[in-house]
Amino acid sequence: MRNESVAVLDIRSYEVTFSLGEKGVNDTFVSCGSCSERYEGYSTKGFFDEDSFRRAVIATITSVRQTHEGIINEIYVGVPAAFVSVKTKGHTISFTKKRKISAQDVDALFDSGLDELMSPQECIRRSNMYFTFGDNRKYFSEKELYGVPTNLLKGALCYYFADDQFYATVTAVLKDLGVLAVHFIPSTLAQALYLLPEKRREGYAVLLDVGFLNTSISVVYGNGIVHEETFDCGQGTILVELMEALDVDYETAQDMLASANVSGGSVPKDLFWTDEREEHSYSLQGINDVIKRGLDVLCEHIESFFLKYYREKTSALSGKSVCITGEGVVGIGGATEHISKRLNRLVEIVCPDLPYYDKPSCSSKVALMSIALSDRKKCGLFYRIFNTLGGKKK
């Protein structure tokens, strides 16, 4: 694989995508190959069928390798929120005398904080909500610290741990494919950092990633995730509700969902939806009612999340809109309007600001590509030498 390109494996709840990309102009990237494959999926309890997952991963990587000129021996893997646990920690380190902060000092802060957590799971990533030197000022970027003289460094830190079974399964299948280096990235963290502007993250922000089989909700602050939960609810569960309630097959339920719009109130009882063959008709109001019930279940999970973590902190999320992305709910006409009314909150769709990829269904793969390219840059010799020496504060 060429030095300037990266390989990314995006794992969604019903599909895996393997992509190669390299840095383009104006924060874009150039696709060098991609392949997607569906599989049995996963729930909050794990993969439904690990063999199905393995076959999908092997198929996508093999397909891209066949058309790629070069060796792919390093892959960045997006870890879904269902397989990630987030732990936060306020931590401080002090020095015997004032010194100019370097990247090594920040590493020492993170390392000692991780040691105190004593978690048996694999820590795949760490990030900061913010740093401080003991005063009231918050520094959201690590680079702002470099070169500043101090004898005290504090941080509100976030650590991301991968589920043991997920970690072992992915590592094993990639090893069998001859991959020498595997880097795990929390998918929702990548999306938060890519989709939400820095200024917005300097206050609390809410990100809702709606997939096909499950949904994750994350509260973001600075460069870290404060709280996060995943629940088994998505577009697929609504399709199942349509199939069971109206006694239709999967394809018919898909057609119903694609043509529905639930943004308004009730519809006249004499309006009917007819299938393509014009053999069967169904009450449009009945279809909308089933879809709304499915969306209401999603909203109930969201409300429970807010009550669990922010019952006593209503001001923290007061007036904050819910940013929605993912391939799930955005494919249902009027879904965001219904969710907004149900939650009594502003709701907005966020997605990559890139030609062709400007769809919520592309958010996770593009965000992973962005963070992988950034990580690759940080591995460069000049970058490491500059930050080891402390850099300069701008």
Side-chain angles (χ1 to χ4, degrees):
M1 189 166 62
R2 291 178 294 179
N3 289 333
E4 65 269 22
S5 64
V6 294
V8 167
L9 182 65
D10 180 35
I11 302 171
R12 301 296 290 176
S13 61
Y14 78 117
E15 183 179 68
V16 296
T17 301
F18 182 66
S19 306
L20 295 180
E22 59 186 49
K23 192 72 174 177
V25 296
N26 299 325
D27 294 325
T28 62
F29 72 92
V30 178
S31 177
C32 306
S34 181
C35 180
S36 297
E37 191 80 19
R38 293 194 176 184
Y39 69 110
E40 293 299 317
Y42 62 79
S43 71
T44 52
K45 296 180 180 179
F47 290 114
F48 292 121
D49 185 340
E50 286 191 7
D51 288 337
S52 169
F53 170 72
R54 291 190 186 96
R55 288 193 297 269
V57 172
I58 292 170
T60 56
I61 295 178
T62 301
S63 175
V64 173
R65 274 179 167 173
Q66 289 174 345
T67 58
H68 177 67
E69 296 182 3
I71 299 174
I72 302 173
N73 54 18
E74 182 180 27
I75 294 178
Y76 292 81
V77 178
V79 186
F83 300 102
V84 175
S85 60
V86 183
K87 295 183 180 180
T88 59
K89 181 174 178 57
H91 193 59
T92 304
I93 59 172
S94 58
F95 314 107
T96 55
K97 60 180 181 180
K98 280 192 175 183
R99 59 193 291 177
K100 290 184 178 180
I101 295 297
S102 69
Q104 290 176 323
D105 297 317
V106 178
D107 284 342
L109 177 71
F110 275 110
D111 290 343
S112 59
L114 178 60
D115 289 341
E116 288 191 3
L117 286 176
M118 298 179 64
S119 175
Q121 291 181 300
E122 187 73 25
C123 182
I124 57 172
R125 196 86 181 180
R126 59 196 196 185
S127 68
N128 63 284
M129 287 180 269
Y130 59 85
F131 298 102
T132 180
F133 294 122
D135 53 17
N136 293 325
R137 181 177 175 183
K138 296 177 180 178
Y139 298 82
F140 293 96
S141 171
E142 182 179 320
K143 292 181 180 180
E144 293 181 279
L145 308 176
Y146 298 157
V148 178
T150 184
N151 58 5
L152 190 71
L153 179 60
K154 295 182 177 182
L157 312 176
C158 303
Y159 298 89
Y160 308 86
F161 299 89
D163 172 78
D164 291 337
Q165 186 61 35
F166 175 90
Y167 186 87
T169 300
V170 174
T171 301
V173 69
L174 294 182
K175 182 179 179 181
D176 290 343
L177 287 167
V179 179
L180 301 179
V182 182
H183 310 284
F184 292 90
I185 300 171
S187 182
T188 48
L189 175 65
Q191 291 183 75
L193 298 180
Y194 181 80
L195 297 173
L196 306 179
E198 289 183 11
K199 286 296 180 183
R200 187 167 194 169
R201 289 186 273 109
E202 289 179 5
Y204 288 94
V206 181
L207 180 66
L208 188 70
D209 179 13
V210 183
F212 189 76
L213 296 177
N214 57 50
T215 295
S216 63
I217 182 169
S218 312
V219 173
V220 186
Y221 192 97
N223 296 317
I225 292 178
V226 187
H227 295 111
E228 182 173 82
E229 281 192 0
T230 302
F231 32 88
D232 297 323
C233 183
Q235 188 183 100
T237 57
I238 296 177
L239 284 171
V240 171
E241 289 290 332
L242 284 170
M243 293 168 64
E244 293 179 348
L246 303 176
D247 193 23
V248 297
D249 58 24
Y250 182 76
E251 289 72 21
T252 301
Q254 280 187 311
D255 292 340
M256 287 177 171
L257 200 62
S259 60
N261 191 312
V262 296
S263 60
S266 60
V267 296
K269 294 182 178 180
D270 58 349
L271 288 181
F272 291 86
W273 180 91
T274 305
D275 60 23
E276 289 186 353
R277 297 180 180 179
E278 298 185 352
E279 295 177 350
H280 302 93
S281 295
Y282 303 87
S283 165
L284 193 59
Q285 182 62 57
I287 294 173
N288 282 2
D289 287 344
V290 174
I291 297 172
K292 286 180 179 180
R293 285 200 300 269
L295 293 174
D296 286 343
V297 171
L298 178 70
C299 292
E300 287 169 7
H301 283 293
I302 298 170
E303 289 174 330
S304 296
F305 172 85
F306 287 144
L307 287 173
K308 180 179 178 180
Y309 293 109
Y310 296 95
R311 183 191 298 269
E312 305 300 329
K313 302 177 183 178
T314 53
S315 60
L317 299 180
S318 178
K320 301 293 183 181
S321 60
V322 176
C323 301
I324 298 184
T325 197
E327 69 278 2
V329 75
V330 292
I332 306 172
T336 53
E337 291 86 347
H338 181 82
I339 292 172
S340 179
K341 292 176 183 177
R342 181 68 165 73
L343 297 178
N344 194 26
R345 286 178 179 270
L346 292 174
V347 170
E348 60 181 291
I349 295 175
V350 291
C351 60
D353 185 18
L354 294 174
Y356 182 73
Y357 298 100
D358 55 346
K359 297 178 278 294
S361 58
C362 295
S363 291
S364 59
K365 59 177 69 74
V366 171
L368 288 169
M369 183 66 69
S370 175
I371 203 168
L373 287 166
S374 177
D375 281 5
R376 172 61 64 84
K377 179 182 177 181
K378 291 177 182 178
C379 292
L381 181 61
F382 174 78
Y383 186 96
R384 284 183 286 141
I385 292 176
F386 181 77
N387 288 322
T388 298
L389 294 176
K392 288 187 180 293
K393 188 186 177 195
K394 294 183 179 180

